Amino acid sequence: MADHVRDLASVHDATERLLTAVAKLNNDSVAEPSRLPGWTRGHVLAHLARNADALVNVLEGRLMYVSGEARDAGIERDAPRPLDVQLSDVRESAARFQEAGAVPADWSRTVELRNGVTDTASRVPFRRWIEVELHHVDLGIGYELEDLPAEFMEREITFLADRFTGHPEVPPTVITDGTRAWRTGSEAGGPEVTVTGAAPELLGWLAGRRDGAELDVQGGALPTLPAL
């Protein structure tokens, strides 16, 4: 079982890094495009705040979101807000998530996320850590994949490799940074593809943040990964 206490501390630290960086922006730069297609930086910040509240719902046994439409509407509603309101919302929603995580609970229980996905409660803090770290990169304000904590990078590569394991549209694939290796893709057999590169490049490809151009591929073409 994941160490939820340790992960909650990592979420706190990552959130503080993000808030410190975002506080240097201004209202105009918050309204500028992020690295996510169709989203401004305000959209990213609104999503981070609403995701924190949604994960509180998960921990407290409620639906993560009432519906996909309600989730999207909340982000669109909150995206245009000025910087000070965005900062307060991210900070206060993060505090609510930490408070929910501090409540004594059965962390081995199964919880339901979006689209019927389930997981153990103990992995919810790591899922929040993913949101904060990757969306900090998505803001495009100087925090890059290369700046991610080493522990997070290794765990996120493992998380994503596991996510694509058994997927029939992804060929059997070995992913390696030259030191560590992960297996993913179809388990039906067939030619195996080996993808080699630096950890940030591997993570960027797996997470849909980079095109994989810097990766070395042997045994076939670089696999096309399904959208997350």
Side-chain angles (χ1 to χ4, degrees):
M1 189 169 67
D3 185 343
H4 69 278
V5 174
R6 193 161 180 266
D7 285 346
L8 283 167
S10 296
V11 171
H12 172 79
D13 292 345
T15 302
E16 288 302 309
R17 285 194 297 274
L18 182 144
L19 288 168
T20 298
V22 172
K24 299 174 183 178
L25 303 179
N26 56 43
N27 290 334
D28 289 340
S29 56
V30 168
E32 291 173 352
S34 73
R35 291 174 173 174
L36 294 177
W39 272 17
T40 66
R41 294 188 178 112
H43 283 88
V44 175
L45 295 171
H47 166 61
L48 280 168
R50 300 290 68 78
N51 172 262
D53 285 335
L55 291 176
V56 170
N57 289 339
V58 169
L59 290 177
E60 295 182 349
R62 297 186 294 275
L63 288 174
M64 186 170 179
Y65 295 101
V66 174
S67 66
E69 293 77 11
R71 170 190 176 272
D72 295 344
I75 293 170
E76 290 295 333
R77 177 196 66 219
D78 294 341
R81 300 174 303 176
L83 175 62
D84 60 338
V85 178
Q86 298 279 16
L87 283 169
S88 294
D89 195 15
V90 172
R91 184 180 296 108
E92 290 166 9
S93 59
R96 290 191 290 271
F97 177 73
Q98 291 288 332
E99 289 167 5
V103 174
D106 174 11
W107 287 92
S108 67
R109 73 191 187 279
T110 298
V111 295
E112 184 172 348
L113 301 156
R114 290 183 66 204
N115 302 321
V117 173
T118 60
D119 206 344
T120 59
S122 64
R123 292 236 293 180
V124 170
F126 179 64
R127 286 178 175 272
R128 175 60 181 175
W129 192 8
I130 294 170
E131 294 286 331
V132 176
E133 292 286 12
L134 292 187
H135 287 315
H136 191 167
V137 174
D138 293 334
L139 287 170
I141 55 176
Y143 190 71
E144 303 295 341
L145 294 174
E146 287 77 8
D147 299 315
L148 295 170
E151 177 195 354
F152 171 83
M153 198 166 329
E154 181 172 0
R155 288 179 63 186
E156 175 65 346
I157 291 173
T158 301
F159 180 84
L160 292 171
D162 288 347
R163 183 165 184 168
F164 296 125
T165 295
H167 199 291
E169 297 178 11
V170 180
T173 304
V174 175
I175 301 164
T176 178
D177 62 359
T179 301
R180 299 156 296 187
W182 301 262
R183 288 186 176 274
T184 193
S186 172
E187 297 174 329
E192 188 172 76
V193 177
T194 300
V195 179
T196 305
E201 295 293 343
L202 292 171
L203 175 55
W205 167 61
L206 288 166
R209 265 65 180 185
R210 291 186 182 173
D211 62 9
E214 300 301 318
L215 299 173
D216 179 73
V217 186
Q218 302 292 327
L222 182 69
T224 299
L225 300 176
L228 294 173

